[in-house]
Amino acid sequence: MTGSGGEQLVRTRARLAALLADASTGALGAAGGRVAGVYLRSGTPGLLRLAVLAGLPGPLFRPWWRLHVGRPFPVADAYRLGVRVVLSDAAETVRRYPQFAAGLPFPLGSVHMPVPGGSEPLGVLTVLRPAVADSVDELLDMELLARLAEGLGAELLALADGDASAVVWDGEPLCVRPPAARPAQAVVARFDWDPVTCAVRPDDRLYALLGLCPGEFAGSDTAFADALAPDDTDRILAALRDTAAGKPPAAPLHLRSREGAPRLLDLWPAAADGAAERVGGVVFEPGPAAADGAADLLPQGVFCLDRLGLIVYVNQAAARLAGRERERLLGRPIWEALPWLTGPPYDDHLRGALLAPDPVHFHVRRPAGEGDEPGAGDWLAVSVHPGADLLTCTLMPASRVDTPVEPVVEEHMPEGSVAGDHSMEPLYRPIALAIALTDAVTARQVSAVVMRELLPAFGGRCLAIYLLQDRHLYLAWESGFPQGFLTPFEGVGLDARLPGVECLTTGRPLFFESMQQLPAAYPGIPLDADEGARAFLPLIASGRPVGSCILGFDRPRGFSTEERTVLTALAGLIAHAMERAQRYDSEAALARGLQQALLPRRLSTHPEVETAGRYLPGTQGMDVGGDWYDVVEAGDGLALVIGDVQGHGVQAAATMGQLRSAVRAFALGDRPPDEVMSGTNHLLIDLDPGQFASCCYLRLDPATGRARIARAGHPPPLLRSPDGRTRLVDVPGGVVLGVDPQARYPVAELLLEPDAILALYTDGLVERPGADIDDGITALRLALARAGAAAGRRGGRSLAGVADRLTAGARHATDRPDDVALLLAARRSAPVRHR
């Protein structure tokens, strides 16, 4: 959006920023959310960009700054379909949008509301919010959210002088700090406890913090614990007793007040040796930097982040452990002030603390050279405690807690082997592997993902995957092994004494740090190399054996406890993906049979109308979808219909069959097109299959060529006139079927002249990932013009030949993600034989 002149441009941008900020912060309140944002169209067709983000630092949301409208994400569906998408909790999110859920694996719900702006949305207003346990959600005001989205759309159009095409966003998102939940004040208070009398003596700050009057406080440890954190009374009393015995807690206790405010409790014995005469303690309730110096009383490091990732408070202990002066930390983003505390996997920990209610705990190594303070290169224990407005983070030397140490060469390892060569990177691999596996549906695709994602993460060289069938293991994938080496192991039974078999039958992974260890454990086993390490992982999904996975390495290496744990967990992901792939084969075969049974074997005929239809299943994913076409006798005319049920597989094919039957019944009754659409819409809503469908319905009078047409979220038809001109038919449409019971479907008219060709099609013929669907429709329009001309030059037009030409490219494509349906109709002045 631009204005005339520099000052006008500055004012326009400022107004735009204010509109986006107001909409996102308003959405937080309307949906009871933690994070909100607005996606707008970009200058790249088919690409949405995040324009504003409230409640989360921009760098932590970078993977979602750009979204293609064809991706399986709720924002993309809300934009493309023009309908709101509401996900109540993580389970529903995983079921409907597994890639989105894998990237944000937290107990979240979300709402995605299209921002209206004419014929298509201008963008999407999206909110991430706590999961909802039941069907009653008092925090979600859907009407207010809809009004916010509508108001934002109107304001954006006004700012662009009514030009919807000018409402675009191509920069980085604006990051907005949400309104504070409460004006908190940080408080640090001290007390001591007498183990003999059980009396607690608080200071004045603690009386104020707990809301107690000195004369009314009973002074007992039980009364103190109940006032401090009523849900953790027993834990506090146990910590006091342990500290008195010389065993203080390894880390500060994370507590919650009666009102839910986060609190930290740290304890220490007053005596250095033996039983303590008294126990000292500090209670810390975090707040903004206005409480400068208060938390310096705490022996461990404490710093606070706001919801944009800025460090707003840091005590002296935290600055010392971080190796930085406080002035170099305060007011700076954490990824600039403490870069070693960001990036994988730490970004995911921070996202979790900002989006989920539970604290997160992890360990990080401060790089050597970070300042001159002692401890450079040492491990630190980090705890991040969520809050409404602030994250409270504690730092302490890892020696105070049980923590894994840096991987080292172990004594039992072969000479020259290294433990944990890639030990830090795999910490983040489960999420990356889960995301990648969501798009893999065949066994080969799963295996290719494993080789691409897993081997580089651990420095592996070769991979073999065996699948179980009839109590025998068969090779599904191999890479990196000498040619023919694995042939003798093909089809081995479960009674064979081989590591790939025994890891599956026992359910325990097997790790060999050198090739010399293999023949020692399995005498006579063939070896493919003189040196290297091997990992044999059982593929078990929900207790059911699926197969075995073998990872090979070029040189001897150790496997740390952490690596073994991660590899075992990854094997579970692979097993579930492989099991899904095996189900895919059988389900795909069933769906193909069902689809072919439901599609018409022959089309209804009329002496003055020629028709031709084509259907092609997709070559990726579940192959078979819900596309269909039909020609039905309607009174003294013909009804032509084409539709596309969302999704693939048996469910989509079954829903397609129900819709096709419904449309046929309405058509046989010669109902008007708008009534056919409305009736089918209500049927789909009543069936509630969890799916929606697009449809285009046309009722043709063969004698006059007059046609009446209605459209429900479906691509508009193409019409080739007898003189060769080919155009897109401008047909107003309603929303897709199965969404809005009050939807209306306007009817348009067109004239089908003799020798003209009408083309109805589904989006699989014109849409490709990463490309604009309008470009695909233009290409189809030009192809129809050429195909019609070629048929005319040969004398007499064959619609079957035209249909074959229009689908030739799709028929030979090996990467077609969606199925394709095409229906052609031509009106002739003399009777012709139907093809």
Side-chain angles (χ1 to χ4, degrees):
M1 290 187 259
T2 61
S4 58
E7 292 184 2
Q8 177 64 30
L9 179 61
V10 171
R11 286 195 296 269
T12 300
R13 287 177 174 172
R15 177 59 181 155
L16 173 61
L19 286 175
L20 296 172
D22 289 346
S24 57
T25 54
L28 287 174
R34 291 195 176 97
V35 177
V38 177
Y39 284 87
L40 294 179
R41 295 180 299 199
S42 70
T44 303
L47 186 70
L48 301 177
R49 293 191 69 119
L50 184 64
V52 65
L53 180 67
L56 195 69
L60 292 187
F61 210 68
R62 186 181 293 273
W64 300 275
W65 281 9
R66 297 156 46 98
L67 285 178
H68 192 276
V69 297
R71 292 292 303 279
F73 277 73
V75 170
D77 278 358
Y79 176 84
R80 190 178 65 254
L81 304 174
V83 298
R84 68 192 181 207
V85 177
V86 182
L87 304 170
S88 60
D89 54 25
E92 185 178 6
T93 305
V94 169
R95 180 177 62 83
R96 295 176 58 183
Y97 300 98
Q99 288 192 29
F100 179 62
L104 293 170
F106 309 114
L108 292 174
S110 58
V111 183
H112 311 269
M113 187 77 66
V115 177
S119 59
E120 63 178 353
L122 301 176
V124 177
L125 177 63
T126 186
V127 184
L128 304 181
R129 56 196 305 271
V132 180
D134 51 45
S135 59
V136 179
D137 187 357
E138 298 178 354
L139 295 178
L140 179 57
D141 191 334
M142 198 67 73
E143 291 185 6
L144 178 55
L145 268 180
R147 290 198 301 272
L148 282 171
E150 292 171 1
L152 176 60
E155 293 277 7
L156 291 174
L157 287 176
L159 197 61
D161 296 326
D163 182 6
S165 64
V167 183
V168 296
W169 186 275
D170 284 307
E172 294 187 358
L174 302 171
C175 293
V176 178
R177 184 174 287 102
R182 60 184 178 92
Q185 291 291 325
V187 177
V188 178
R190 302 183 73 113
F191 69 93
D192 60 46
W193 175 66
D194 186 338
V196 177
T197 64
C198 297
V200 173
R201 187 174 61 188
D203 66 4
D204 292 339
R205 286 196 186 97
L206 188 55
Y207 279 119
L209 175 64
L210 301 182
L212 301 173
C213 295
E216 299 175 357
F217 178 50
S220 67
D221 48 14
T222 303
F224 162 74
D226 185 64
L228 180 62
D231 292 336
D232 286 296
T233 300
D234 292 340
R235 192 156 66 104
I236 295 171
L237 295 176
L240 288 171
R241 290 192 295 269
D242 289 345
T243 304
K247 300 176 182 178
L253 301 182
H254 174 68
L255 309 171
R256 292 276 178 180
S257 71
R258 197 179 304 276
E259 294 76 24
R263 288 171 173 167
L264 297 176
L265 171 65
D266 203 21
L267 303 171
W268 59 89
D273 301 311
E277 296 181 359
R278 303 190 74 82
V279 170
V282 170
V283 177
F284 174 60
E285 185 168 298
D292 263 349
D296 285 336
L297 295 173
L298 290 173
Q300 76 275 5
V302 177
F303 65 95
C304 298
L305 306 175
D306 71 1
R307 294 195 69 84
L308 292 188
L310 295 180
I311 299 176
V312 297
Y313 180 81
V314 58
N315 72 351
Q316 291 288 3
R320 183 177 65 256
L321 289 169
R324 297 288 182 92
E325 297 177 355
R326 294 177 71 181
E327 292 71 18
R328 296 178 59 191
L329 298 174
L330 281 172
R332 297 185 62 191
I334 186 172
W335 41 88
E336 293 180 8
L338 303 172
W340 42 269
L341 202 52
T342 61
Y346 310 115
D347 282 354
D348 211 49
H349 294 316
L350 293 176
R351 269 194 295 267
L354 285 162
L355 295 173
D358 299 322
V360 294
H361 310 281
F362 56 94
H363 299 91
V364 63
R365 190 182 184 191
R366 189 188 115 191
E370 287 286 327
D372 299 325
E373 306 296 333
D378 289 343
W379 286 89
L380 299 175
V382 183
S383 294
V384 184
H385 304 282
D389 304 314
L390 298 176
L391 296 183
T392 303
C393 310
T394 62
L395 290 176
M396 56 193 310
S399 58
R400 280 196 60 182
V401 296
D402 294 331
T403 176
V405 298
E406 180 183 11
V408 296
V409 177
E410 299 180 14
E411 294 182 0
H412 66 278
M413 295 179 187
E415 184 178 354
S417 68
V418 179
D421 290 337
H422 300 260
S423 60
M424 293 308 294
E425 190 174 2
L427 293 176
Y428 199 65
R429 302 313 296 176
I431 288 180
L433 183 63
I435 293 174
L437 285 174
T438 56
D439 284 333
V441 294
T442 68
R444 289 193 62 82
Q445 289 173 344
V446 171
S447 301
V449 168
V450 174
M451 190 179 78
R452 185 176 67 246
E453 292 287 336
L454 199 60
L455 284 187
F458 290 86
R461 177 185 62 83
C462 50
L463 169 73
I465 294 180
Y466 285 85
L467 296 181
L468 181 65
Q469 183 179 353
D470 298 329
R471 295 186 58 79
H472 290 76
L473 288 173
Y474 296 92
L475 186 64
W477 179 278
E478 67 168 309
S479 175
F481 287 94
Q483 186 175 2
F485 172 75
L486 296 178
T487 301
F489 304 104
E490 178 72 3
V492 298
L494 294 185
D495 56 349
R497 192 171 187 276
L498 294 168
V501 174
E502 291 193 355
C503 75
L504 180 62
T505 56
T506 63
R508 297 193 308 271
L510 299 174
F511 298 93
F512 297 91
E513 296 164 349
S514 73
M515 294 300 289
Q516 289 72 31
Q517 293 178 349
L518 261 172
Y522 297 90
I525 188 173
L527 301 179
D528 63 300
D530 294 331
E531 60 179 19
R534 293 290 181 269
F536 296 84
L537 307 175
L539 302 182
I540 299 175
S542 302
R544 295 183 297 274
V546 176
S548 301
C549 176
I550 305 172
L551 299 178
F553 303 85
D554 280 335
R555 59 189 179 122
R557 76 188 302 279
F559 296 92
S560 67
T561 302
E562 184 179 40
E563 282 184 308
R564 295 178 186 226
T565 301
V566 171
L567 281 170
T568 304
L570 293 175
L573 288 177
I574 299 167
H576 281 281
M578 280 296 185
E579 187 182 47
R580 186 179 68 240
Q582 291 174 320
R583 288 199 305 268
Y584 158 82
D585 290 332
S586 58
E587 185 177 347
L590 176 60
R592 279 192 292 270
L594 181 60
Q595 177 87 354
Q596 293 300 322
L598 293 173
L599 285 172
R601 295 183 179 273
R602 60 186 303 275
L603 302 177
S604 297
T605 61
H606 193 281
E608 297 180 12
V609 179
E610 181 183 6
T611 59
R614 295 291 183 269
Y615 171 80
L616 302 174
T619 57
Q620 293 181 351
M622 185 43 73
D623 291 344
V624 179
D627 289 17
W628 92 94
Y629 60 86
D630 208 351
V631 178
V632 188
E633 295 181 12
D636 56 357
L638 283 180
L640 286 75
V641 60
I642 194 163
D644 182 1
V645 176
Q646 169 260 342
H648 296 83
V650 174
Q651 180 62 52
T655 302
M656 176 272 285
Q658 293 171 309
L659 294 186
R660 176 174 176 259
S661 298
V663 173
R664 284 187 67 87
F666 288 128
L668 289 171
D670 203 12
R671 302 275 290 276
D674 56 336
E675 292 187 18
V676 174
M677 289 289 94
S678 296
T680 308
N681 178 48
H682 283 105
L683 173 68
L684 185 55
I685 292 174
D686 291 341
L687 290 173
D688 191 22
Q691 294 172 305
F692 52 83
S694 66
C695 186
C696 186
Y697 180 90
L698 181 144
R699 200 279 187 190
L700 173 67
D701 183 347
T704 64
R706 178 174 173 268
R708 304 180 72 234
I709 185 170
R711 188 165 63 96
H714 201 83
L718 293 171
L719 180 64
R720 185 187 188 276
S721 300
D723 60 7
R725 290 180 301 167
T726 308
R727 64 183 176 89
L728 192 70
V729 181
D730 185 13
V731 180
V735 300
V736 293
L737 305 174
V739 173
D740 182 7
Q742 306 301 321
R744 295 292 180 265
Y745 299 95
V747 177
E749 294 191 1
L750 63 86
L751 180 64
L752 184 63
E753 301 176 81
D755 294 330
I757 301 177
L758 180 71
L760 306 178
Y761 53 92
T762 58
D763 57 8
L765 189 58
V766 295
E767 191 172 34
R768 289 291 180 273
D772 190 359
I773 189 173
D774 291 337
D775 295 337
I777 293 175
T778 299
L780 180 62
R781 178 177 61 81
L782 297 174
L784 177 60
R786 293 191 299 267
R793 285 195 298 270
R794 289 199 307 272
R797 177 178 291 106
S798 167
L799 280 193
V802 174
D804 288 338
R805 287 182 176 83
L806 295 182
T807 56
R811 188 181 303 276
H812 295 98
T814 59
D815 60 346
R816 188 173 63 252
D818 201 359
D819 47 349
V820 169
L822 173 71
L823 178 61
L824 302 179
R827 178 170 160 260
R828 306 283 285 178
S829 55
V832 297
R833 183 181 177 184
H834 172 71
R835 297 292 299 275

